[in-house]
Amino acid sequence: AASDVYKRQILLLAGGAVSQISTRIKQTLISEREHREQQAAAALEAAHQKARLIFELASTLSATLNYERVLEAALDVSNAGLKEFFTPEPDQEVTQVGMILLFGMDQSLYVAKSRGVSTQDERKRFPAQQGVLAKAIEKADPILTDDPGTDPELGQITAMHYCRQGIVVPLRAGFESYGLLVLGSSEPDTYAPDFQDLLVAICNQAVMALQNASLYQNLIEEKERLVAVEENERKKLARNLHDGPCLL
């Protein structure tokens, strides 16, 4: 009888242990499922945010053929992306330096538009022969740097010395390179893959808008040239009619 009681106690203990293990497994599975659902929801929200920003950029760029406005819109959306994709700690202020560098006639890069860069630094030019600028042009892909202030060329920009991460994204269409989008953040680990994807999309949209603006500007210049030629011919004809034939 005592052995039967002992066996029943063992079975009860074993049953309780199995029940606890089963409950823990169930809780773990539920927790993992909730975690996966949260990750999926976060990924979906990030995708929606990126799509919205790209749509806003495309809408802005499609409404303008102004060269300056194209560059400003690209930097504005890059700053909006910082707010959407990087969540700072409470009471943490994150700043971003932004530049669009375009190739000049001498094939060096000049600052076409900037945010947070001094007037003196805006006048500087970059040969893009070393550091992250050269790598981005060579690889035609975004290049990250965790210390932009020590870069041999970016280090010429004073504001970059206060940045803890930088990214350089090519402005490129096919095999033709127009320049670079350069951003620097006051915080590390700012430019996560989702943010990088957004910046690539921004650059692609900006290049198309720049091409359209360039074509439009060429058309305007050609129209002005033709108007000038027509005006000169009209004045010449008016002079000839005024002078009349010379009779001896």
Side-chain angles (χ1 to χ4, degrees):
S3 62
D4 290 340
V5 172
Y6 180 72
K7 288 178 181 179
R8 283 197 296 271
Q9 290 175 342
I10 294 295
L11 290 173
L12 288 172
L13 289 173
V18 169
S19 177
Q20 288 181 355
I21 293 172
S22 177
T23 300
R24 289 178 183 176
I25 291 174
K26 184 178 180 181
Q27 291 173 343
T28 300
L29 291 174
I30 292 173
S31 177
E32 289 178 353
R33 185 182 66 186
E34 290 176 347
H35 181 65
R36 287 195 298 268
E37 289 175 350
Q38 289 173 355
Q39 286 182 322
L44 183 61
E45 178 63 21
H48 285 162
Q49 291 171 348
K50 183 164 63 177
R52 179 176 57 78
L53 289 171
I54 294 172
F55 176 77
E56 290 176 358
L57 175 65
S59 299
T60 300
L61 296 184
S62 64
T64 181
L65 289 171
N66 181 282
Y67 178 84
E68 295 286 331
R69 185 68 190 104
V70 168
L71 302 182
E72 289 174 357
L75 288 177
D76 289 344
V77 178
S78 298
N79 285 337
L82 176 68
K83 297 176 182 178
E84 295 286 354
F85 288 94
F86 184 77
T87 304
E89 297 293 329
D91 301 326
Q92 180 186 22
E93 183 179 356
V94 183
T95 58
Q96 182 169 253
V97 178
M99 297 186 296
I100 292 183
L101 308 179
L102 298 180
F103 284 106
M105 295 296 292
D106 61 355
Q107 292 305 304
S108 67
L109 291 165
Y110 68 94
V111 181
K113 192 66 64 175
S114 69
R115 296 282 191 277
V117 176
S118 69
T119 303
Q120 181 179 357
D121 284 345
E122 284 182 331
R123 294 194 289 266
K124 293 179 179 177
R125 299 182 79 93
F126 308 90
Q129 294 179 351
Q130 52 185 331
V132 291
L133 301 184
K135 287 181 182 178
I137 292 171
E138 178 187 358
K139 296 182 179 299
D141 284 318
I143 300 296
L144 285 170
T145 172
D146 290 329
D147 196 0
T150 63
D151 184 84
E153 294 194 27
L154 277 188
Q156 297 179 43
I157 303 296
T158 304
M160 286 295 174
H161 289 265
Y162 302 95
C163 295
R164 300 178 65 187
Q165 189 176 50
I167 186 169
V168 181
V169 186
L171 290 162
R172 192 179 183 91
F175 294 104
E176 187 171 1
S177 182
Y178 289 81
L180 301 166
L181 169 66
V182 180
L183 300 174
S185 170
S186 59
E187 294 298 323
D189 304 322
T190 300
Y191 304 107
D194 283 339
F195 198 172
Q196 292 183 40
D197 291 343
L198 172 67
L199 296 176
V200 170
I202 290 171
C203 289
N204 291 340
Q205 292 285 337
V207 166
M208 287 190 290
L210 284 172
Q211 289 175 320
N212 291 337
S214 178
L215 288 172
Y216 178 73
Q217 185 62 35
N218 290 340
L219 288 173
I220 293 296
E221 291 174 357
E222 180 63 14
K223 178 183 177 181
E224 291 174 350
R225 187 188 70 80
L226 292 174
V227 168
V229 169
E230 183 179 348
E231 180 66 15
N232 288 337
E233 289 298 322
R234 188 189 64 78
K235 290 179 180 178
K236 181 179 178 181
L237 179 60
R239 284 196 303 269
N240 290 339
L241 291 174
H242 179 268
D243 293 342
C246 236
L247 299 177
L248 297 177

